[in-house]
Amino acid sequence: MNMIRLVICDDHPVITQGLEAFLNQRNNLTVVATCGSGAELMAILEENPIDIVLLDINLPDTSGIELCGTVKKHFPDTKVIGFSNNNERSFIMRMLANSASGYLVKSASVNEIEAAIEKVYEGGIYFGTEAQSVLASLARDVMEEIPPVTKREKEVLLLLVEGLSSVQIAEKLFVTQQTVDTHRKNLMSKFSVNKTVNLLQKAKELGII
């Protein structure tokens, strides 16, 4: 049986100490370290091969949501489970957009946390009961909210995310600037926004980019 190597990143000692004590009793889990900030977490990951990070989304030095994306960028084999008191749709969707493999609220039982860790380690995705309810309602809404986006429009969106101008995008896609501007206007119309920043925000929230 492979040992699952875990880091708990949460700035509440009561939570980290309690979880560490429980999880270290499991035969297939070992808590390599606990920490309370993003800087500490990155330092730990630099020094240790870690399978899973249980990550609080509210940390004193950074947003756990953004930190999730940073972890996945630099340590793609390390899986992240969001851990929060907040089960709002936007938090869950932003964690998903940053490649989280799961999301739990802190009221989850220790047995559910253990189950989530094991499922994610095996390559699955785990959302706690409350998160599942939020995602279920989202699925219904998204069917109505997400407009159809063509392959070319998605390419334009992804290049806009990189901060490229219409001229630069045109060069990348071997089209005219006018064509790029047309795609941008069509996208804004589809998403009912009038600024590029709002377009990208909405597309990210809906998981398109």
Side-chain angles (χ1 to χ4, degrees), residues 73-197:
K73 178 180 178 180
H74 294 284
F75 307 96
D77 293 333
T78 299
K79 298 178 174 63
V80 178
I81 300 174
F83 195 50
S84 175
N85 285 319
N86 198 316
N87 67 342
E88 287 184 16
R89 175 188 297 184
S90 61
F91 285 87
I92 299 172
M93 291 304 296
R94 287 168 65 195
M95 284 296 286
L96 276 173
N98 280 313
S99 302
S101 295
Y103 194 97
L104 292 165
V105 293
K106 292 184 180 180
S107 59
S109 70
V110 287
N111 289 326
E112 183 177 24
I113 293 171
E114 180 184 5
I117 291 168
E118 291 178 348
K119 183 168 183 179
V120 166
Y121 178 75
E122 291 169 359
I125 295 177
Y126 189 99
F127 292 96
T129 305
E130 292 188 42
Q132 287 179 34
S133 298
V134 172
L135 291 174
S137 65
L138 174 65
R140 292 191 296 270
D141 294 345
V142 165
M143 292 301 292
E144 301 173 0
E145 290 179 9
I146 295 183
V149 175
T150 67
K151 181 180 178 181
R152 180 64 87 185
E153 286 172 344
K154 186 166 184 180
E155 288 175 342
V156 171
L157 276 173
L158 292 172
L159 292 172
L160 286 171
V161 170
E162 295 181 16
L164 273 61
S165 67
S166 290
V167 173
Q168 292 169 317
I169 293 173
E171 291 175 354
K172 284 263 189 184
L173 299 180
F174 303 103
V175 298
T176 66
Q177 179 183 344
Q178 183 179 4
T179 297
V180 174
D181 287 336
T182 298
H183 285 312
R184 191 194 294 240
K185 288 176 183 177
N186 289 341
L187 284 164
M188 288 184 181
S189 176
K190 287 181 178 182
F191 286 87
S192 301
V193 296
N194 54 17
K195 293 183 180 179
T196 300
V197 64

Side-chain angles (χ1 to χ4, degrees), residues 10-21:
D10 191 299
D11 63 333
H12 297 88
V14 172
I15 291 176
T16 55
Q17 290 168 13
L19 274 176
E20 181 181 20

